[in-house]
Amino acid sequence: MTRISLSDGSLAKLDVDALLVGVASKGRSIVLAPGSESVDKAMKKRLASALGDLVATGKAGEVTKLATLGATTAPLVVAVGLGPAPARGETYSAEAIRRAVGTGVRALAGTRRIATGLAATNGDGADLTAVAEGAVLGGYAFTKYRSRASSGSHKKAAGTVTIVVPDAKDATAKSVVARAVALGDAVTLCRDLVNTPASDLHPADLAQVAVEACGEAGCEVEVLDEVALADGGYGGLIGVGQGAKHPPRLVRIAWSGAGDAKAVHLVGKGITFDSGGLSLKPAAAMEWMKSDMGGAAAVLATMRAVAKLELPVNVVAWVATAENMPSGTAIRPSDVLTMRGGKTVEVLNTDAEGRLVMADAIVRAGEEGAAAIVDVATLTGAQLVALGSRVYGIMANDEDLRGEIVAAAAAAGEQGWPMPLPDELRGSLDSTVADLQNIGDRYGGMLVAGVFLREFVPAGTPWVHLDIAGPAFNQGDVHDYTPKGGTGVPVRTLLTWLEGRAG
Ligand code: BES
Ligand code: MN
Ligand code: ZN
């Protein structure tokens, strides 16, 4: 991940390899965003017209590079589009800044030192947050599996982004950067885990990452192996995992930052590979199923950030992890599983496995008297049908809690949208032999899965379910600060929500 530093020097005089400035559209012309003044002055006030000559329009996502020919210490100015200039008295939105900086830092992959003055855009500290976040989010590259990491179009992430602020020693500025770095570190961890092939990330490996990444940050981490899971009656995890050579795990990660207050619980789906099991997926649908542990990766990574930032909250996260494989020992369509807590489920489709492992973990969170449960899962293809590839679904048994998550997503710059859990869908989950069956109504599949999970939440416990099937993994092209592959969604929502709970 790209590093961040602060400077209160003049941008034009900083000894770096490239300067990042913002440019916005205003009618048919362009305007420079605040923070580029020293560079413009060094270029005899001709920066905007030079960018105009290079056909910069200021639209979001646009990158225009300009050699400074000695006018500034850095040899290169990179202008990133911010979109339309704000109306008089208004400022650029945090997301516009985040995306512009992310775009610039991504476009400068392979560059050692970048500097920007964009944090001066609105002067209330929010701008610095957005610039720092954009830099850490855009400064990402997954190079582990490349034999020549720095060559061709697959460059390493930019080295350092120096952000020019009025006072580099200011305590608030420093803490804003520390927080952005912790957030970037968590998003990076989540993306790396999602991008790692399933052959290198079996359930026991994911559990070990939790032990190391969260343990080192100060969390208490406990791993239940397949023997403990069988003893504890975790029929969902055992059933889903029984076809695989690599057995399931349930990981409990705890952070105690608020004495003996009741903890909020996070639950993540950690299917390290979803082949569908005996209800086998077609080959094309399996291509990105290494990402089916995106929910688990997100809650694990969030816990690391919570601990690093020493948030005054009590949080427990559950990583419910298994590999869903077909074999002679795999669960069959029509098998009945007894879940943690005693409910029975008839498995009619072994590809609806996520809800089975999630149910066990939700029950366990409920047993601990969770103040609230937030579960995160790449649960249904129906999420993509309903909301597209970038917007995750937010379902709940509690309107207030759902509202908190919707607000946290918006504040964090992630796209999540509230969805209902219609009671009439429950009947479609009635089984002819067991308490429930794991598939129901053909329509509204995302909601059906949510209704299934709701059955395992104790009465009176506020619960929210995030279906991140599409948003966890970018199958399309890079955009803004979002790389291909693992996106890190919804780490920023979860961290922002927990920061809010912390007061
Ligand atoms: N992991 C998949 C959901 C998924 C699909 C995630 C596409 C990311 C991209 C999940 O386990 C699954 O297979 N769900 C089934 C449920 C169905 C059998 C009721 C689905 O959505 O097809
Ligand atoms: Mn599946
Ligand atoms: Zn799955």
Side-chain angles (χ1 to χ4, degrees), residues 468-481:
I468 58 165
F473 192 87
N474 178 18
Q475 268 192 305
D477 264 332
V478 291
H479 58 90
D480 316 308
Y481 46 71

Side-chain angles (χ1 to χ4, degrees), residues 83-430:
R88 184 177 291 277
E90 288 183 15
T91 53
Y92 294 96
S93 72
E95 184 62 3
I97 297 174
R98 234 182 250 125
R99 289 186 179 192
V101 173
T103 300
V105 171
R106 205 166 38 68
L108 284 164
T111 306
R112 221 154 55 80
R113 299 162 309 174
I114 303 170
T116 182
L118 259 169
T121 43
N122 62 30
D124 64 357
D127 47 357
L128 178 58
T129 305
V131 171
E133 287 181 359
V136 294
L137 294 170
Y140 175 84
F142 187 66
T143 54
K144 192 171 167 212
Y145 292 87
R146 299 213 183 263
S147 55
R148 289 162 66 233
S150 58
S151 71
S153 59
H154 302 293
K155 297 195 179 114
K156 284 195 181 133
T160 304
V161 173
T162 299
I163 307 172
V164 175
V165 291
D167 178 6
K169 298 221 162 51
D170 178 63
T172 308
K174 283 185 172 177
S175 79
V176 163
V177 170
R179 187 252 175 205
V181 168
L183 177 123
D185 167 84
V187 168
T188 298
L189 173 60
C190 181
R191 288 174 179 173
D192 283 350
L193 288 170
V194 168
N195 289 333
T196 300
S199 57
D200 284 348
L201 193 76
H202 297 294
D205 302 316
L206 187 55
Q208 191 54 33
V209 171
V211 168
E212 284 163 20
C214 299
E216 168 193 293
C219 295
E220 184 196 312
V221 187
E222 199 186 312
V223 180
L224 282 83
D225 66 10
E226 69 273 31
V227 178
L229 291 174
D231 287 350
Y234 295 88
L237 276 155
I238 291 291
V240 170
Q242 76 188 35
K245 189 169 151 206
H246 303 91
R249 296 286 185 266
L250 178 64
V251 188
R252 181 183 189 278
I253 310 167
W255 167 253
S256 306
D260 48 16
K262 268 188 166 188
V264 297
H265 286 236
L266 310 177
V267 178
K269 172 178 171 182
I271 299 299
T272 57
F273 190 76
D274 184 10
S275 70
L278 288 177
S279 310
L280 196 66
K281 285 183 185 295
M286 244 185 258
E287 276 174 23
W288 48 315
M289 281 306 131
K290 67 174 182 180
S291 69
D292 209 19
M293 31 55 72
V299 305
L300 182 168
T302 300
M303 290 305 283
R304 182 170 153 92
V306 165
K308 281 194 168 178
L309 294 170
E310 301 185 355
L311 291 190
V313 279
N314 288 345
V315 196
V316 174
W318 298 93
V319 166
T321 178
E323 199 180 16
N324 188 21
M325 298 293 271
S327 77
T329 60
I331 38 168
R332 310 154 192 82
S334 79
D335 280 1
V336 174
L337 303 176
T338 302
M339 316 293 278
R340 172 82 177 183
K343 278 204 174 71
T344 58
V345 177
E346 183 186 15
V347 178
L348 290 178
N349 189 319
T350 65
D351 197 12
E353 84 298 337
R355 60 198 76 184
L356 302 172
V357 302
M358 293 298 281
D360 273 351
I362 288 171
V363 168
R364 180 62 202 274
E367 287 169 6
E368 294 200 5
I373 300 175
V374 178
D375 87 64
V376 188
T378 49
L379 208 59
T380 66
Q383 177 278 317
L384 281 135
V385 177
L387 292 170
S389 57
R390 296 189 192 173
V391 182
Y392 62 82
I394 309 177
M395 289 143 277
N397 65 0
D398 183 293
E399 296 245 337
D400 291 343
L401 186 59
R402 191 182 66 181
E404 284 180 25
I405 297 290
V406 170
E414 290 183 328
Q415 294 182 272
W417 200 250
M419 297 297 278
L421 289 176
D423 287 327
E424 67 270 19
L425 294 177
R426 172 61 186 82
S428 72
L429 292 165
D430 282 341

